[in-house]
Amino acid sequence: MEKNKTNNPSHIVLTSHPPREGKIPKISWGAKTLEERGPLIASMADHAHSNVIGAYAGAYSVYRAVAVATGALNPLHVPDLHNTAPPDKIGPHPQWFEEGKIVSLDPWGHLVGEAFDEYRARGLDVRPTIAVTKAHINMPEIHDAVRAGRLKPDGKILKDNGDVRVTKAAIDPVWHLPSISKRLGVDEHSLRRSLFEHSGGMFPELVTRPDLKVFLPPIGGHTLYFMGDVSTIHDPNVPLACRLHDECNGSDVFGSDICTCRPYLCHGIELCIETAQKGGNGLIVYNRKEGRALGEVTKFLVYNARKRQEGGDSAAKYFERTECVAGVQDMRFQELMPDIFHWLGITRIHRFASMSNMKHDALAKHGIEILERIPIPPELIPPDASVEMEAKKAAGYFVQSPDDIADADELKNVKGRSLDE
């Protein structure tokens, strides 16, 4: 093994033949300590020294391969993880150790940078799959809310210039295949075979190495934005506002008005700021599941099909046109989504900004109590998104009834007292 020529002796460059002394540790999923669980090793230099299937940063691993092919990246480079530890403590929480609670991410993924130096010293590639940092966000809609008097800068959560103080986390997916299979109600062998076949045989270990139970899938992960005190986000007595948002690049980034995605995301951020300012917490969960996990190409094809059908775009055929093109209406599999909340130790959401019954029901099934559901305010719905909204209402998406509104008003009164205290 050759150390690199920097002043940091902990930065190690892997050789093409890592030393073979010592056994590759087995993974004990759900163990009560990181040491007992063991490191996840996705060796780039020697796959015989991996104990997982796939590569780190799965969705970007192809770019890494291209960088190696073009000579831009040393294939034996291992990252210098000095000073990369999270600024805030997250976990461990009881859910980390309950069988079946966390199946699609590594709850210890933000802590491995400092914990497994001995393995890196042996030439084994152990990297974080979660990163946590501090940041600010600043969006035009926040300024609009301040001008309208709905938000007021307090210098702590929201600054006078519109900056919002946040902690944010990036999470790469890590799938424990036996637990994923059980969660989805499919046979593990069938799941592994399907993953192998429908990724073009990209991961032969799925069918040749049944002893390897952890898979790093080449899909997008999640980004979390926390407003308030991260250390209390798991406390059911501290009010929590949450927007659970699945990616929509056209709306979220470029302002397309054919859907309500960016307006609802911004409304969720506003609720999170408001709740954090009153002593609670806010959480935005941003999932990389573009176009209901069908992808943006499919999404745009569906847009064309909707606009060109006889009679024009209509709520009655909104989901039907998606199924005609994609073969299915939705592939987001919200059954896996509660893992993020289990990682944070969350058992109660006080204000849930979502109309999706699939999201609500998936959380409720996993024991996460939702006290109030908040649909998008009618005034935030763009005119061109009316077809989408009518289709969702017809499909059974949550819409507040007068009784719901009365209950919500009472809940706000109760929350207001507890927040003021």
Side-chain angles (χ1 to χ4, degrees):
M1 186 187 316
E2 176 191 353
K3 290 185 179 179
N4 74 331
K5 297 177 181 179
T6 70
N7 293 325
N8 183 2
S10 67
H11 188 196
I12 299 168
V13 177
L14 299 183
T15 67
S16 59
H17 300 285
R20 295 182 178 274
E21 64 268 14
K23 294 181 179 179
I24 302 302
K26 291 185 177 180
I27 299 167
S28 180
W29 195 266
K32 292 194 174 182
T33 68
L34 180 53
E35 291 73 21
E36 291 175 326
R37 200 291 302 279
L40 307 181
I41 304 170
S43 177
M44 306 296 183
D46 187 347
H47 288 291
H49 284 74
S50 295
N51 61 6
V52 303
I53 302 167
Y56 292 117
Y60 294 93
S61 60
V62 173
Y63 289 109
R64 182 185 187 280
V66 172
V68 171
T70 59
L73 174 65
N74 180 348
L76 307 178
H77 172 76
V78 67
D80 177 357
L81 298 176
H82 182 63
N83 280 337
T84 62
D88 286 320
K89 184 179 184 295
I90 296 177
H93 295 292
Q95 293 95 319
W96 294 19
F97 322 123
E98 294 181 36
E99 183 178 358
K101 283 286 188 180
I102 296 180
V103 305
S104 64
L105 60 88
D106 175 13
W108 302 97
H110 56 310
L111 302 174
V112 304
E114 297 179 320
F116 292 122
D117 283 341
E118 62 177 291
Y119 291 98
R120 281 185 285 272
R122 286 170 49 197
L124 298 172
D125 202 352
V126 183
R127 307 189 189 193
T129 57
I130 298 175
V132 184
T133 191
K134 296 284 191 181
H136 293 90
I137 60 173
N138 195 314
M139 304 171 70
E141 289 84 354
I142 295 171
H143 293 264
D144 293 342
V146 171
R147 284 192 290 269
R150 298 192 305 272
L151 290 177
K152 295 182 179 179
D154 63 324
K156 181 179 178 183
I157 303 296
L158 176 60
K159 295 183 177 181
D160 290 335
N161 67 352
D163 280 354
V164 183
R165 294 178 186 266
V166 299
T167 300
K168 60 182 181 180
I171 302 176
D172 281 338
V174 178
W175 287 10
H176 184 244
L177 293 171
S179 301
I180 289 273
S181 302
K182 188 173 182 180
R183 176 80 64 86
L184 297 177
V186 299
D187 174 72
E188 182 186 345
H189 174 76
S190 299
L191 176 63
R192 295 173 75 113
R193 171 63 66 176
S194 187
L195 288 169
F196 168 70
E197 292 179 350
H198 295 282
S199 64
M202 187 181 295
F203 303 101
E205 296 90 348
L206 286 166
V207 293
T208 63
R209 293 292 305 275
D211 58 308
L212 297 181
K213 299 295 186 181
V214 175
F215 177 42
L216 308 183
I219 58 175
H222 320 278
T223 308
L224 314 184
Y225 287 85
F226 309 91
M227 294 146 215
D229 184 357
V230 176
S231 68
T232 63
I233 200 166
H234 65 284
D235 188 338
N237 297 312
V238 176
L240 173 64
C242 176
R243 167 65 182 166
L244 181 60
H245 191 88
D246 293 332
E247 180 181 33
C248 177
N249 183 62
S251 179
D252 298 342
V253 179
F254 294 101
S256 170
D257 61 359
I258 198 171
C259 63
T260 60
C261 294
R262 181 180 173 97
Y264 213 163
L265 173 62
C266 293
H267 181 59
I269 291 172
E270 184 177 329
L271 291 173
C272 288
I273 295 170
E274 176 189 326
T275 303
Q277 286 182 322
K278 293 180 179 179
N281 287 302
L283 172 64
I284 301 294
V285 180
Y286 194 88
N287 299 311
R288 294 315 193 286
K289 297 177 180 178
E290 177 65 61
R292 303 194 196 110
L294 301 171
E296 201 165 34
V297 169
T298 296
K299 182 177 181 177
F300 288 5
L301 295 175
V302 171
Y303 284 168
N304 284 343
R306 283 172 50 194
K307 294 171 184 176
R308 294 169 180 170
Q309 63 189 346
E310 186 177 351
D313 197 7
S314 70
K317 294 188 176 181
Y318 177 86
F319 290 108
E320 178 185 324
R321 296 311 303 157
T322 301
E323 192 165 359
C324 286
V325 175
V328 65
Q329 292 183 5
D330 198 314
M331 290 197 304
R332 284 175 289 183
F333 292 103
Q334 301 294 357
E335 294 93 335
L336 303 180
M337 169 269 296
D339 288 18
I340 295 168
F341 295 84
H342 294 322
W343 176 59
L344 296 170
I346 292 172
T347 58
R348 176 181 292 168
I349 299 170
H350 297 74
R351 309 174 76 190
F352 186 53
S354 174
M355 295 172 65
S356 169
N357 290 336
M358 288 187 293
K359 293 176 182 177
H360 172 275
D361 294 349
L363 291 170
K365 183 178 178 180
H366 279 261
I368 298 169
E369 182 183 15
I370 296 174
L371 298 187
E372 179 186 2
R373 299 176 68 179
I374 302 177
I376 185 170
E379 63 270 19
L380 295 184
I381 300 173
D384 282 353
S386 60
V387 170
E388 175 203 56
M389 291 305 299
E390 290 305 314
K392 288 182 175 181
K393 291 176 185 177
Y397 275 57
F398 170 75
V399 180
Q400 279 185 320
S401 68
D403 289 341
D404 293 327
I405 295 172
D407 291 343
D409 288 341
E410 177 59 26
L411 179 61
K412 288 176 183 176
N413 292 333
V414 172
K415 289 206 308 293
R417 289 196 294 271
S418 64
L419 288 173
D420 291 340
E421 292 170 0

